[in-house]
Amino acid sequence: MLKLNHLNAYYGTSHIIHDLDLEIREGEIFCLLGRNGVGKTTLLRSLIGITVNTTGRIEFEGRDISTLPTHARARLGLGYVPQGREIVPGLTVLENILLGCNARKDGRKSVPQLVWDTFPMLKDHLHRRGTNLSGGQQQQLAIARALATDPSVLLLDEPTEGIQPNVVEDIEKSITTLNRVHGLTIILIEQKIRFARSAAHRFAILEKGRVRVSGASNELTNDLIHRHMGL
């Protein structure tokens, strides 16, 4: 569904992603792992086309999207949930979700039922400012906004980071349900190894902007974690 060939990514003169090849299959959860600063977030931002200079080729459903602007990639079906959530200050929960509708291919401006099915608690806070929600509620709002774009691939950057423990489980269940029940392809950056093993079909561990090791989730051994992610 997504194929990267010889992808390089730069911030100014800083070379972050190095000649990376990767394939994401339709209907899977693919987990990106690695220590902080190895290029995981830069890789997602390269896929969606945000403030990163890239060379190489990014194919989405057989089409080269390497030179397309961010809004065009979103309209093709890439939904993005950034690290830190980036809820728009001053807008209500409903207004934040409706922002995602601007990227829909069909032009519809109504919130998809999938949003309410996935995060029913948001209905109780529609007219509250999004920034007044708790961290866990804001994360659910950020995912809901991405779902409102009607994506076929969802890019999630550490969706359980900094979330209160009682909400983490709800978010994890929502992610696996979106994949297992609704068939959404998901690329997930995650530091929680337990969740990575249980949710992902395949994984890749990055080091210095390169894929150091990859495989099926049942191959994500403690030895690999110690060697490539330990302090």
Side-chain angles (χ1 to χ4, degrees), residues 1-3 57-65 76:
M1 196 165 200
L2 265 170
K3 185 176 182 179
R57 185 178 177 90
I58 303 172
E59 288 185 14
F60 178 48
E61 296 181 329
R63 174 178 178 176
D64 185 358
I65 64 170
L76 286 175

Side-chain angles (χ1 to χ4, degrees), residues 7-9 15-20 38-40 42-43 46 206 209:
L7 181 69
N8 292 272
H15 193 173
I16 309 300
I17 301 294
H18 296 264
D19 206 31
L20 189 144
V38 299
K40 303 185 300 295
T42 299
L43 180 54
S46 299
L206 299 189

Side-chain angles (χ1 to χ4, degrees), residues 41-90:
T41 292
T42 299
L43 180 54
L44 288 197
R45 291 171 69 88
S46 299
L47 293 177
I48 197 64
I50 299 178
T51 64
V52 183
N53 294 320
T54 63
T55 62
R57 185 178 177 90
I58 303 172
E59 288 185 14
F60 178 48
E61 296 181 329
R63 174 178 178 176
D64 185 358
I65 64 170
S66 308
T67 61
L68 292 181
T70 298
H71 70 271
R73 300 186 196 196
R75 284 220 167 98
L76 286 175
L78 290 177
Y80 178 53
V81 181
Q83 188 178 32
R85 301 178 282 273
E86 297 185 13
I87 300 304
V88 180

Side-chain angles (χ1 to χ4, degrees), residues 5 32 44 57 59 63-64 71 76 85 104 111 119 125 127 130 135 151 158 173 182 185-187 193 205 214:
N5 291 113
L32 293 170
L44 288 197
R57 185 178 177 90
E59 288 185 14
R63 174 178 178 176
D64 185 358
H71 70 271
L76 286 175
R85 301 178 282 273
R104 290 179 64 94
V111 179
F119 302 115
H125 304 282
H127 303 294
E158 298 204 35
K173 286 180 179 178
H182 299 286
T185 303
I186 295 173
I187 304 176
I193 303 304
I205 298 177
S214 62

Side-chain angles (χ1 to χ4, degrees), residues 169-185:
E169 185 176 349
D170 291 338
I171 292 176
E172 290 177 349
K173 286 180 179 178
S174 297
I175 291 169
T176 53
T177 298
L178 287 170
N179 173 257
R180 306 299 200 264
V181 176
H182 299 286
L184 196 58
T185 303

